[in-house]
Amino acid sequence: MRIHFIAIGGSAMHNLAIALHKKGFVVSGSDDLIFEPSASRLSRYGILPKTMGWHEESITTDLDAVILGMHALIDNPELLRAQELGIKVYSYPEYIYEQTKDKLRVVIGGSHGKTTITSMILHVLNYYKKDFDYLVGAQLEGFDTMVKVTDSAPLIIIEGDEYLASPIDRRPKFHLYKANIAVISGVAWDHVNVFPTFENYLHQFELFIDTIEPGGKLFYCETDKELHTLVRNSRKQIVKTGYQIPAHHVNNGITYLLPENLPLKIFGDHNLMNLSAAKLVCQEIGISEIDFNQAITSFKGASKRLELLNAENNTNVYKDFAHSPSKLRATIEAVKSQFEERKLVACIELHTFSSLNKNFLLQYEDTMIRADNPIVYIDIKTFQQKKIKPFTEIDVQTAFNSDKLTFFDNASTLEQYLRELNFNQTNLLLMSSGNFGGIDLVKLARELNT
């Protein structure tokens, strides 16, 4: 098979390109800009484009398929050439389905927790050396790539993103996988540039349930009221099973899973809820509850999810991948509940299109109420790049409903402020899907005044 990737440098795209190369396909690709680590990883496998840019001469009739990434535009010259020649153009979720339609497909959907649930399942399957394919949105310990597609594996575990499939296919990605076993971890409005109302966003999950194969199964978080109503009202003839937080207790900053009293390396209600979902999936594919519990004790968490940067004296510094209101609230609650005797400085960087929408900003009301020192950071350059009028501190305090909240739009000023705080008996939680204006977070974590 000869496959060409348009916009090969994307996170999912370059991983799929590597996976197909490992499968023995002849892979080529193009992009106008490729960042690290994509560039080095593509280079290692000999499939990094020799020159940047779009080259319509790369599209020839001997190609079996073209895979189109979201980064490309609809007038991309390579795309237009492929359409002119009648070459089949796939989005990457479409192509994943094409490669796995004879396998058992497990699809993990939801506004939050997708990566963690998927990672937990992969960890347990890997622990017992099972043969499986996967697609996950983070680099995981013990896994070389974020995508694996083979001929031999009988099943694939897919993190099902609800964002659009490609510039010419405006369906959410998770609609295209046609799950045999599905999970919905919860629903909280996101991607407002594509789904302008919560009702429109919620409808995508209703449609997802409809794509589950006949005789399939759905596991869902039954404490999410909107989701519970959605599932209850669905007429899809599948088995629907709700899940909740498992029995556990916390002692001296460690969470223990009951009744075996097994110590976990993760914590927080949202992670425990994710664990329940992963356990149900694993039981469905042949791993007993006892075996699951044994394997999950060594799970350290998904990449960038509540990652411990430093622990010194009575101070822990965590970095978390977060921007949505529901995730922000859950992460703060997790750290505060795990260390009730410590104060919490919580800092969120907002930089996505959704979070910088003034109407959507109101969704953050009371999300940082459990933080002793709440901080919001938005790089002034982000406003300029997105051509958005900058927020004032009053705008942010009003939206978050917190007059004790501190607002920064300059990374150096934020770093100086954190360095001047006394972190004795105090944890620091840094949350972003960006990079905090280039602050060296590991260095900062080690040099705080504890």
Side-chain angles (χ1 to χ4, degrees):
M1 295 288 285
R2 299 181 65 86
I3 310 293
H4 182 80
F5 285 75
I6 301 176
I8 196 172
S11 176
M13 288 285 280
H14 90 273
N15 274 284
L16 179 55
I18 291 169
L20 295 183
H21 170 78
K22 286 182 169 184
K23 195 175 178 180
F25 289 13
V26 177
V27 174
S28 59
S30 59
D31 215 321
D32 56 356
L33 198 59
I34 300 180
F35 295 103
E36 292 296 350
S38 303
S40 295
R41 301 181 79 236
L42 288 169
S43 179
R44 190 187 323 153
Y45 291 98
I47 49 178
L48 179 70
K50 290 183 173 57
T51 58
M52 292 298 109
W54 315 112
H55 311 285
E56 59 181 284
E57 63 273 15
S58 301
I59 309 301
T60 53
T61 53
D62 61 345
L63 287 173
D64 293 292
V66 165
I67 301 177
L68 179 66
M70 268 306 291
H71 172 60
L73 301 177
I74 58 173
D75 62 352
N76 183 286
E78 294 185 9
L79 170 60
L80 296 178
R81 181 64 174 157
Q83 291 170 328
E84 181 187 325
L85 293 176
I87 299 168
K88 177 65 178 171
V89 178
Y90 293 91
S91 64
Y92 93 74
E94 258 187 316
Y95 200 74
I96 289 287
Y97 174 74
E98 187 66 25
Q99 289 288 300
T100 61
K101 56 190 176 186
D102 296 326
K103 300 176 186 284
L104 181 77
R105 291 176 305 285
V106 179
V107 182
I108 317 300
S111 305
H112 43 72
K114 295 185 293 290
T115 301
T116 298
I117 296 169
T118 308
S119 302
M120 286 175 169
I121 297 167
L122 299 193
H123 176 84
V124 173
L125 292 176
N126 208 33
Y127 185 92
Y128 291 110
K129 297 182 169 50
K130 301 290 185 183
D131 185 18
F132 63 97
D133 289 342
Y134 59 86
L135 187 164
V136 62
Q139 193 63 53
L140 306 180
E141 187 176 315
F143 293 85
D144 182 39
T145 57
M146 292 157 60
V147 180
K148 181 186 171 195
V149 180
T150 64
D151 290 324
S152 61
L155 76 158
I156 182 167
I157 314 298
I158 300 172
E159 178 181 340
D161 184 4
E162 70 271 24
Y163 201 67
L164 304 181
S166 86
I168 60 172
D169 187 346
R170 310 295 285 178
R171 292 174 294 175
K173 296 186 185 81
F174 68 164
H175 290 180
L176 305 178
Y177 298 125
K178 301 179 184 177
N180 302 105
I181 300 168
V183 172
I184 303 180
S185 61
V187 181
W189 189 25
D190 201 357
H191 308 305
V192 298
N193 55 322
V194 178
F195 310 113
T197 65
F198 175 67
E199 291 70 28
N200 179 236
Y201 180 75
L202 188 64
H203 183 55
Q204 308 313 311
F205 291 87
E206 186 179 1
L207 294 174
F208 172 57
I209 295 172
D210 288 340
T211 69
I212 299 170
E213 295 279 30
K217 297 195 174 179
L218 170 65
F219 301 120
Y220 68 97
C221 175
E222 63 182 349
T223 59
D224 184 314
K225 291 179 183 176
E226 296 280 3
L227 176 57
H228 186 68
T229 301
L230 183 73
V231 173
R232 191 177 60 218
N233 292 340
S234 171
R235 296 182 178 179
K236 182 73 176 183
Q237 295 300 303
I238 52 174
V239 177
K240 302 159 189 165
T241 305
Y243 61 84
Q244 298 185 350
I245 295 170
H248 67 282
H249 75 96
V250 179
N251 184 27
N252 198 26
I254 297 173
T255 297
Y256 294 85
L257 196 59
L258 299 174
E260 298 99 327
N261 215 35
L262 295 169
L264 299 174
K265 297 185 186 301
I266 55 168
F267 62 87
D269 284 356
H270 63 303
N271 268 331
L272 291 166
M273 192 75 82
N274 294 336
L275 185 150
S276 290
K279 182 184 293 187
L280 284 170
V281 170
C282 285
Q283 287 178 290
E284 192 61 34
I285 55 181
I287 292 171
S288 71
E289 182 174 8
I290 291 172
D291 286 345
F292 175 89
N293 289 349
Q294 181 59 46
I296 206 67
T297 58
S298 55
F299 178 70
K300 296 177 184 175
S303 174
K304 300 178 184 175
R305 271 67 175 182
L306 267 178
E307 178 183 345
L308 182 63
L309 297 183
N310 195 50
E312 190 172 337
N313 301 328
N314 293 302
T315 304
N316 285 12
V317 181
Y318 294 96
K319 173 185 169 188
D320 195 49
F321 183 88
H323 73 270
S324 70
S326 57
K327 182 72 193 299
L328 174 59
R329 186 195 301 273
T331 306
I332 288 173
E333 179 64 37
V335 177
K336 194 66 182 170
S337 298
Q338 197 74 2
F339 301 94
E340 291 181 341
E341 74 286 358
R342 298 183 191 179
K343 290 183 178 178
L344 176 63
V345 177
C347 180
I348 174 80
E349 176 186 13
L350 302 181
H351 83 124
T352 64
F353 184 90
S354 295
S355 61
L356 297 184
N357 177 295
K358 203 158 190 177
N359 292 326
F360 185 81
L361 193 68
L362 300 174
Q363 301 288 318
Y364 287 94
E365 183 178 5
D366 293 336
T367 52
M368 302 187 81
I369 202 164
R370 288 274 276 146
D372 299 281
N373 185 347
I375 302 166
V376 172
Y377 165 69
I378 308 174
D379 192 331
I380 190 67
K381 294 175 194 162
T382 305
F383 286 117
Q384 295 162 354
Q385 287 163 356
K386 297 182 187 292
K387 297 182 172 62
I388 298 171
K389 183 182 176 184
F391 297 154
T392 65
E393 184 167 64
I394 296 297
D395 290 334
V396 178
Q397 288 178 338
T398 302
F400 278 78
N401 191 30
S402 172
D403 56 8
K404 68 177 182 179
L405 180 150
T406 311
F407 175 65
F408 293 92
D409 61 9
N410 179 279
S412 299
T413 311
L414 169 62
E415 181 173 3
Q416 182 182 348
Y417 174 80
L418 292 173
R419 287 181 177 277
E420 289 173 356
L421 292 178
N422 183 349
F423 279 91
N424 183 37
Q425 283 283 352
T426 305
N427 288 336
L428 173 61
L429 175 58
L430 299 159
M431 297 164 286
S432 176
S433 52
N435 68 353
F436 278 103
I439 295 174
D440 186 334
L441 300 182
V442 175
K443 185 171 185 288
L444 172 66
R446 289 173 181 160
E447 294 176 357
L448 290 176
N449 173 21
T450 61

